[in-house]
Amino acid sequence: MNEVSPSAETEKVNLLGMSRSKMEAWLVSIGEKPFRAQQILKWIHHTGVDDFNDMSNLGKALRAKLSEIAEIRPPLVERQLDSVDGTRKWAVQVGGGNLVETVFIPDGDRGTLCVSSQVGCSLDCSFCSTGKQGFMRDLTAAEIIGQVWLALKSFDAFQSGKGRVVTNVVMMGMGEPLLNFDNVVDATSLMMDDFGYGLSKRRVTLSTSGVVPMLDKLGDVSEVSLAVSLHAPNDALRNELVPINKRYPIAELLAACKRYLDKQADRHRVVTVEYTLIAGVNDRLEHAHELAEVLRVLPCKINLIPFNPFPLSDYQRPSKTAISKFWQILNDAGYVTTVRTTRGDDIDAACGQLAGLVQDRTRRSERYRRQAEEQTQTIRLV
Ligand code: SAH
Ligand code: SF4
């Protein structure tokens, strides 16, 4: 969707998702000076203003003109849930009855916001509840950056003197960010822009299941940190878990990750390799040894994610002992390896559970529901 075109509902141009370069071009197209973009961006993303009349360093005539043709329209919050551990989750309305989820996870002086990029996902990884819903549509750049805007509003963190509440953003919510390329690039550029949210490139992470051509394109236009969802050390197993592996197998994916790093000015950057551990599927010790070998070609650190169970999935989370043995092998092989702790369990905010509140309306979600019903009936008959 082109952000410069008016929104269907109001016929006004929504400035919330406009990157600095797009806003400069838009201002020129309406006969204004491009430097106004910096002022407007600061009002929107530093101060949290959504009314042009509050932009006191713009002249009255310009404020009136902007109010006439443009708007700053964040998506609406349908529901907010707070966990006892400080995790906060929002179900965000994105029109047409669709909801996506955004999760804030505090950890000491860090605060990580997990942001969605699509309604549903077309890639159907076997262990992912978003994948089970099928794909509805891409989010606009305004709907993506709007999740950051809403989170700061919700914590009253614009100009509150509280210091930074959101210190990190991860594109690890619903959807495959590289399949919504332009909008994700615009939104992440605002996250890293000094006139936007001013986060360093090390604190904005895009997680992908491995859309290789888009990864190459990303390296040409972005400095965002990269996380790659590997989940298996060989193609036979990865084909089962992450179907896009049949198009872009592991060797091609790792080579693309290396090319991404090579394009970055900073030579010390590494890719985060995500590996969701599923009991009896990809958590055997030989998998850990094989993973340590296969990753030799890539400067990386490893993040082990214990599988988060959800309805419609038969997979199980491995035991603590199995997880720590797996970790030990990678650690001994010289990899910086972390295990993601599960957070927000009481509000279903843990990774992979993000689809909980979203209406299932695709054919794929119906197929899965039918399968689950048939399984239950079989169990009853036996
Ligand atoms: N589409 C992107 C980003 C969203 S998923 C991607 O696949 O990378 C974010 C991370 O959560 C991915 O590593 C994904 O594999 C993982 N994940 C999905 N479902 C999960 C589950 N049920 N348990 C644990 N991790 C899961
Ligand atoms: Fe899509 Fe990522 Fe889920 Fe796979 S893990 S179905 S790519 S959201």
Side-chain angles (χ1 to χ4, degrees):
M1 188 174 178
N2 183 355
E3 281 302 314
V4 180
S5 61
S7 79
E9 281 134 81
T10 61
E11 293 298 318
K12 289 184 176 180
V13 177
N14 190 358
L15 303 191
L16 181 63
M18 255 190 214
S19 62
R20 196 193 320 179
S21 56
K22 286 205 174 143
M23 195 181 289
E24 283 168 353
W26 177 75
L27 283 162
V28 171
S29 78
I30 61 162
E32 297 297 333
K33 295 270 187 302
F35 80 89
R36 295 283 181 205
Q38 300 184 2
Q39 294 174 314
I40 297 171
L41 285 169
K42 279 170 79 173
W43 282 115
I44 300 174
H45 302 292
H46 290 189
T47 322
V49 159
D50 58 1
D51 184 340
F52 295 109
N53 292 317
D54 294 336
M55 300 186 177
S56 52
N57 57 356
L58 305 184
K60 219 173 155 194
L62 177 56
R63 295 202 304 253
K65 178 175 172 182
L66 289 174
S67 307
E68 187 83 4
I69 57 174
E71 63 183 350
I72 298 143
R73 190 163 51 88
L76 298 172
V77 172
E78 163 102 2
R79 235 170 111 190
Q80 178 183 309
L81 295 170
D82 284 298
S83 162
V84 287
D85 68 15
T87 301
R88 181 172 282 186
K89 177 170 86 166
W90 301 267
V92 176
Q93 287 179 16
V94 289
N98 292 312
L99 299 174
V100 292
E101 296 196 7
T102 311
V103 184
F104 175 76
I105 306 143
D107 184 13
D109 49 13
R110 269 163 72 122
T112 301
L113 193 71
C114 181
V115 168
S116 295
S117 57
Q118 297 181 312
V119 187
C121 182
S122 61
L123 296 183
D124 201 16
C125 298
S126 64
F127 52 86
C128 173
S129 67
T130 303
K132 299 280 168 274
Q133 290 175 72
F135 172 73
M136 294 292 287
R137 73 164 172 86
D138 287 333
L139 295 187
T140 63
E143 288 163 341
I144 299 169
I145 201 69
Q147 296 170 62
V148 183
W149 196 94
L150 284 177
L152 294 185
K153 269 276 161 190
S154 144
F155 286 111
D156 194 21
F158 284 116
Q159 273 196 330
S160 63
K162 279 184 190 167
R164 259 198 180 149
V165 176
V166 173
T167 61
N168 296 63
V169 178
V170 291
M171 297 296 311
M172 291 185 189
M174 297 167 70
E176 168 49 54
L178 290 186
L179 291 180
N180 184 12
F181 189 86
D182 292 344
N183 294 333
V184 165
V185 166
D186 280 357
T188 49
S189 84
L190 280 170
M191 293 170 199
M192 296 184 285
D193 193 323
D194 284 343
F195 296 101
Y197 295 88
L199 298 174
S200 90
K201 56 190 186 239
R202 290 174 181 277
R203 290 172 177 271
V204 179
T205 302
L206 183 152
S207 173
T208 179
S209 57
V211 191
V212 165
M214 291 298 155
L215 200 48
D216 281 322
K217 232 176 123 184
L218 186 72
D220 296 333
V221 296
S222 181
E223 293 189 310
V224 75
S225 296
L226 188 64
V228 165
S229 294
L230 199 66
H231 310 310
N234 59 63
D235 285 325
L237 185 53
R238 194 165 190 266
N239 285 346
E240 272 177 44
L241 304 180
V242 186
I244 198 177
N245 193 69
K246 293 175 201 152
R247 289 242 310 268
Y248 309 113
I250 293 175
E252 275 183 40
L253 173 57
L254 297 181
C257 291
K258 181 73 172 49
R259 289 195 293 276
Y260 184 84
L261 292 180
D262 288 343
K263 284 178 186 168
Q264 303 296 319
D266 177 354
R267 295 271 131 207
H268 302 292
R269 298 187 78 188
V270 298
V271 169
T272 301
V273 172
E274 297 164 280
Y275 194 103
T276 294
L277 282 167
I278 310 169
V281 174
N282 63 356
D283 67 337
R284 291 207 306 272
L285 303 187
E286 55 265 39
H287 290 137
H289 288 293
E290 200 181 352
L291 183 63
E293 278 316 303
V294 91
L295 289 178
R296 290 275 171 238
V297 295
L298 183 70
C300 64
K301 57 184 180 187
I302 302 169
N303 190 211
L304 299 175
I305 314 171
F307 171 69
N308 281 304
F310 59 93
L312 299 186
S313 171
D314 295 333
Y315 289 144
Q316 310 283 323
R317 182 183 296 181
S319 67
K320 283 214 169 89
T321 324
I323 295 171
S324 87
K325 282 186 179 159
F326 201 94
W327 173 86
Q328 192 70 52
I329 291 168
L330 296 169
N331 192 61
D332 291 350
Y335 292 95
V336 173
T337 308
T338 47
V339 180
R340 192 178 297 171
T341 48
T342 304
R343 300 287 303 270
D345 263 350
D346 53 332
I347 55 166
D348 282 354
C351 150
Q353 298 181 302
L354 291 176
L357 281 167
V358 179
Q359 286 167 348
D360 284 348
R361 292 184 303 161
T362 62
R363 252 181 281 155
R364 181 182 298 156
S365 68
E366 264 170 36
R367 174 158 50 85
Y368 281 113
R369 225 187 347 258
R370 249 196 333 268
Q371 276 171 7
E373 275 167 21
E374 279 162 15
Q375 275 165 14
T376 331
Q377 278 167 6
T378 318
I379 293 163
R380 278 200 210 106
L381 288 174
V382 172

